[in-house]
Amino acid sequence: MARGLPKKAPLKGVANIIVIASGKGGVGKSTVAVNFACSLAKLGQRVGLLDGDIFGPSIPLLMNLNDEPCINEHNLMIPPENYSVKCLSMGMLTPPDGSIVWRGPLVMSAIQRLLKGADWGQLDILVIDTPPGTGDVHLSLAQQVPLTGVILVSTPHAPAVQVTLRGATMYEKLNVPIFGVVENMSFCICKKCKDRMEFFKNVNSSILLPRKLISLPLDAHIAECCEAGVPVVIKYPDCDYTNLFTRLANEVLEILEKRNPERDFVL
């Protein structure tokens, strides 16, 4: 069995790989991944974004990138770029209405192709958006490349927290550092009175999760931007939502700077 496992090796030109994960579906991982990547790019980082959701890719829609990537002379895919972020997704390689019906080995092969079959150039950070669960994609990533860390995404709802905890346990077993949790859709701000309305009152299950990095509101602008293919941090650069992602990006950069003091991160 061990002979068939891929050999873990650094990704050429990529300094750090950060995974966005949860375990639970529908908690906003892709939205967080896209806005986090764009926030890093706005801070001067060289950023790539890999869509690790083979069966349900959404990065092409969220980043407004639907063209098939070009191939260079070395038979490597050239990730298309938008908003200063290089992106690659299975959604760029299959028809929009096509479905992918694969077993584990083909999924692992696809992840390897997206990771190592692309010319990412020089990147400070590669952000990887992952699917729900704790299966093939997550294990393939951990087996193929050294992961710098993981950011977990969850709502405060008890079912979501319980599954996110399983995701955290998986990454702990894989010896991947957990940077913290992005708490998503836990509240909204009334447009008229500006009061904060909490959706999950008297919920204590989230205290079991790793430390909270930021707490994001539910906002109509988010759905609008997702469908338009323009991340919120790009379309509304001065809104509170954008400021929260800037804070997240700066906090992660500080973590990376402490881990790699010899590297010059733009803060």
Side-chain angles (χ1 to χ4, degrees):
M1 175 70 79
R3 293 179 183 177
L5 294 176
K7 184 177 180 181
K8 182 184 291 190
L11 203 54
K12 183 179 179 182
V14 178
N16 295 280
I17 299 176
I18 297 177
V19 173
I20 308 297
S22 175
K24 186 66 174 175
V27 294
K29 291 184 298 297
S30 297
T31 302
V32 169
V34 162
N35 285 282
F36 174 58
C38 289
S39 297
L40 289 169
K42 288 172 66 178
L43 292 174
Q45 299 297 301
R46 297 169 296 180
V47 184
L49 176 59
L50 173 63
D51 191 347
D53 196 338
I54 302 300
F55 299 109
S58 56
I59 297 304
L61 171 64
L62 300 181
M63 292 294 285
N64 194 25
L65 287 170
N66 296 296
D67 294 335
E68 187 172 339
C70 297
I71 305 295
N72 66 13
E73 65 275 14
H74 303 294
N75 198 34
L76 296 174
M77 292 181 287
I78 302 174
E81 183 174 331
N82 202 7
Y83 313 119
S84 300
V85 177
K86 296 179 179 180
C87 302
L88 201 54
S89 168
M90 185 59 68
M92 300 173 183
L93 305 174
T94 56
D97 58 348
S99 60
I100 298 173
V101 186
W102 287 349
R103 291 186 183 273
L106 287 176
V107 175
M108 296 172 68
S109 177
I111 289 295
Q112 184 173 9
R113 175 63 174 158
L114 291 172
L115 265 177
K116 299 184 177 180
D119 183 1
W120 290 102
Q122 297 296 315
L123 295 181
D124 296 307
I125 299 171
L126 176 63
V127 179
I128 302 182
D129 179 31
T130 60
T134 56
D136 294 322
V137 169
H138 304 270
L139 294 175
S140 296
L141 291 171
Q143 288 172 350
Q144 293 188 28
V145 290
L147 302 177
T148 308
V150 59
I151 296 173
L152 299 171
V153 182
S154 181
T155 66
H157 197 210
V161 171
Q162 289 176 4
V163 179
T164 303
L165 280 170
R166 295 190 182 102
T169 301
M170 175 194 66
Y171 279 102
E172 287 173 351
K173 289 181 178 178
L174 294 172
N175 295 317
V176 179
I178 298 175
F179 291 164
V181 177
V182 171
E183 184 182 73
N184 199 17
M185 299 182 284
S186 63
F187 67 95
C188 72
I189 303 297
C190 177
K191 291 184 178 180
K192 293 183 179 180
C193 66
K194 304 301 180 183
D195 280 352
R196 174 169 168 152
M197 297 178 288
E198 301 286 346
F199 296 139
F200 302 94
K201 296 180 180 179
N202 302 319
V203 174
N204 298 318
S205 55
S206 58
I207 64 175
L208 302 172
L209 292 170
R211 72 185 185 100
K212 186 191 302 182
L213 296 169
I214 56 172
S215 183
L216 295 170
L218 182 64
D219 193 297
H221 289 320
I222 301 169
E224 166 203 332
C225 290
C226 287
E227 293 185 6
V230 184
V232 177
V233 299
I234 300 296
K235 189 168 185 178
Y236 299 101
D238 299 318
C239 72
D240 291 340
Y241 194 84
T242 296
N243 293 335
L244 286 168
F245 268 104
T246 301
R247 195 177 94 193
L248 173 65
N250 276 316
E251 185 160 352
V252 170
L253 289 177
E254 289 177 4
I255 293 172
L256 297 180
E257 187 178 38
K258 291 177 182 177
R259 290 166 56 97
N260 304 283
E262 70 280 0
R263 285 187 57 83
D264 184 21
F265 288 97
V266 180
L267 297 176

